[in-house]
Amino acid sequence: MVFGSSSFILHEHSYSALAFMPHGVCYLWKPIIMGMHLTSDLLIALAYYSIPLMLVYFVRQRQDLPFNWIFLLFGSFIVACGTTHLMEIWTLWHPNYWLSGFLKVITAAISVSTAIIMVPLIPNVLALPSPAQLEAANRKLESEIAERQQAEEELAQYRRHLEELVEERTVELTQTNEYLQQEIAERQRAEEAQQQAEANYRSIFENAIEGIFQSTPDGRYISANPALAQIYGYASPEQLISSITNIAKQIYVHSDTRSEFVRLMEKNDTVSRFEKKVYRRDGRIIWTLENARAVRTAQGTLLYYEGSVEDITDRKLSEEQLKESEKKLRQVIDLVPHFIFAKDKDGQFILANKAMAEAYGISVEKILTCKDEDLIKSTQEADQFRQADLQVIESGKPQHLPEEFLTDARGNVRIVQTTKIPFFVAGSEAPAVLGVAIDITEQKQAELALKKQFQRALMLKQIT
């Protein structure tokens, strides 16, 4: 018999004194035969191992499946079969035939046990109802349920009929009783709602930070809250009501707003949001914002006035201070000989001084309605200014431009040195740009003249 690539012959009886020979010897160690057996046994083993895994997964997913243990037994049998095939691969090189035989004995035992157990199990499996039988049973059960529901519905209809007969005999008493109970309940709810509304109104009336009042057509207070008494300098609403019998005469309106107030009072109609300057009880002047409404009957007869009063003295003082500050700032800006301007993100001028207005030959008010392209004839100049503004707005960083060229209303080209910074306008979340441009035209002309003189002197020196 040939062994491997050796050419020598081993006598059959020479193995009697040696261990078992590997199975590969029987295949003469030929690669094709070895590969065929190796590949086949390996693929069979892998298939045998994968099938039990799928059976275990199937059993775990279908817990309701009867006799699910038989799938586990089949899995054990298939695993054992797969192991014998792995052993076939092992014995190609290692002659462990005792171990191989022992595995086959285990496989045989599991196989025989499975076959024996299947014999009594087959009748039980056959006794399980088929899907068709289960469907028929379900249909029968549904039919019985429908019949029972129909019987219950007929019984319910009969019961309702009896109840209707009873209700018809007692309907008058029931309706009368319900009407009385409803009437009582509605009255109680109306009283409770009125009490709640009065409580809410009283709470709002007493705790409001604005003065609230009602007054007769002839100018006498009917009601007033603590805030109104405090605004006019009285200790309590009661003191205010008892002290003032004529609002127009006893709450002294300042001469600045008296004519407008009298006109509104004489109009004798709904009045909304008018400001007036008045004297408090202690003589201090305050500003108030009053909302008043004339309450009339359906026929148009005036019943009373009602409204609110707010002390806006602090706001008016702030507005006056702001106006004064803006006026002073405007005076300072207009005195500056340089161009001072501001534009929003769309390029619209929102600030300009007189120096700039004079350069363009229009008023400051006119500039505030324009953009660069409205003032500058050169599209290139306007585009350069616009791009520089956008760069400052988008970067959020100041920018200094040593030289910019600007053509004024007379057609003169001015050289300006501009500094632009981003800033936010009050009341707007959009950024804007603020700039100061210094006219350096004369400076540049003087530098150019000096440069020419220097060059001329240098040429004369070279000639001589």
Side-chain angles (χ1 to χ4, degrees), residues 105-120:
V105 169
I106 294 176
T107 304
I110 297 175
S111 303
V112 172
S113 300
T114 305
I116 294 173
I117 291 173
M118 286 291 294
V119 173

Side-chain angles (χ1 to χ4, degrees), residues 20 73-74 111 157 160 172 181 200 213 218 223 226 294 314 332 357 395 417 436 449 451:
F20 295 111
L73 188 60
F74 272 122
S111 303
Q157 290 178 354
R160 286 195 296 269
E172 293 182 0
Q181 290 180 353
N200 292 338
F213 69 89
D218 59 357
S223 63
D314 293 339
V332 171
S395 66
Q417 189 177 82
V436 177
K451 185 177 180 180

Side-chain angles (χ1 to χ4, degrees), residues 277-438:
K277 198 173 183 181
V278 300
Y279 293 94
R280 280 168 45 98
R281 186 187 182 194
D282 56 9
R284 185 163 61 90
I285 299 175
I286 62 172
W287 276 93
T288 61
L289 173 63
E290 186 166 333
N291 291 277
R293 183 176 73 92
V295 180
R296 301 177 182 277
T297 63
Q299 293 74 26
T301 304
L302 178 62
L303 296 177
Y304 57 89
Y305 289 104
E306 64 181 9
S308 62
V309 178
E310 180 184 357
D311 187 347
I312 59 170
T313 305
D314 293 339
R315 192 189 77 191
K316 296 295 288 187
L317 291 175
S318 298
E319 290 176 356
E320 291 176 0
Q321 291 173 359
L322 180 60
K323 289 179 181 179
E324 186 65 25
S325 298
E326 290 178 349
K327 182 179 179 181
K328 292 179 179 179
L329 179 61
R330 167 54 62 184
Q331 292 174 349
V332 171
I333 291 175
D334 286 339
L335 289 174
V336 175
H338 310 307
F339 301 160
I340 299 177
F341 61 90
K343 308 173 197 173
D344 62 17
K345 64 181 185 64
D346 297 322
Q348 178 73 44
F349 280 97
I350 56 177
L351 174 67
N353 66 342
K354 284 187 177 180
M356 188 171 183
E358 290 173 356
Y360 285 116
I362 58 177
S363 65
V364 172
E365 291 74 16
K366 181 63 177 178
I367 290 182
L368 298 183
T369 64
C370 299
K371 297 182 180 180
D372 285 324
E373 54 265 30
D374 301 323
L375 301 175
I376 302 173
K377 295 181 180 180
S378 172
T379 305
Q380 184 178 1
E381 283 186 20
D383 290 342
Q384 289 176 351
F385 292 158
R386 179 63 178 153
Q387 292 302 320
D389 294 342
L390 289 176
Q391 185 175 356
V392 172
I393 291 174
E394 292 172 359
S395 66
K397 297 179 180 179
Q399 187 178 31
H400 179 69
L401 303 171
E403 287 187 7
E404 281 189 313
F405 296 93
L406 183 151
T407 304
D408 61 16
R410 300 177 183 85
N412 299 322
V413 178
R414 299 192 183 191
I415 304 174
V416 293
Q417 189 177 82
T418 309
T419 300
K420 297 180 180 181
I421 62 171
F423 82 110
F424 286 87
V425 181
S428 173
E429 296 181 358
V433 61
L434 176 66
V436 177
I438 301 174

Side-chain angles (χ1 to χ4, degrees), residues 176-214:
T176 303
N177 185 42
E178 289 179 353
Y179 176 77
L180 291 175
Q181 290 180 353
Q182 184 178 1
E183 187 74 18
I184 294 171
E186 289 180 357
R187 183 172 298 179
Q188 289 177 345
R189 284 195 296 270
E191 292 177 354
E192 291 174 359
Q194 184 177 359
Q195 292 173 359
Q196 184 64 38
E198 290 177 354
N200 292 338
Y201 173 76
R202 177 54 57 183
S203 176
I204 296 172
F205 186 78
E206 294 292 337
N207 299 314
I209 59 174
E210 294 183 354
I212 302 175
F213 69 89
Q214 287 181 331

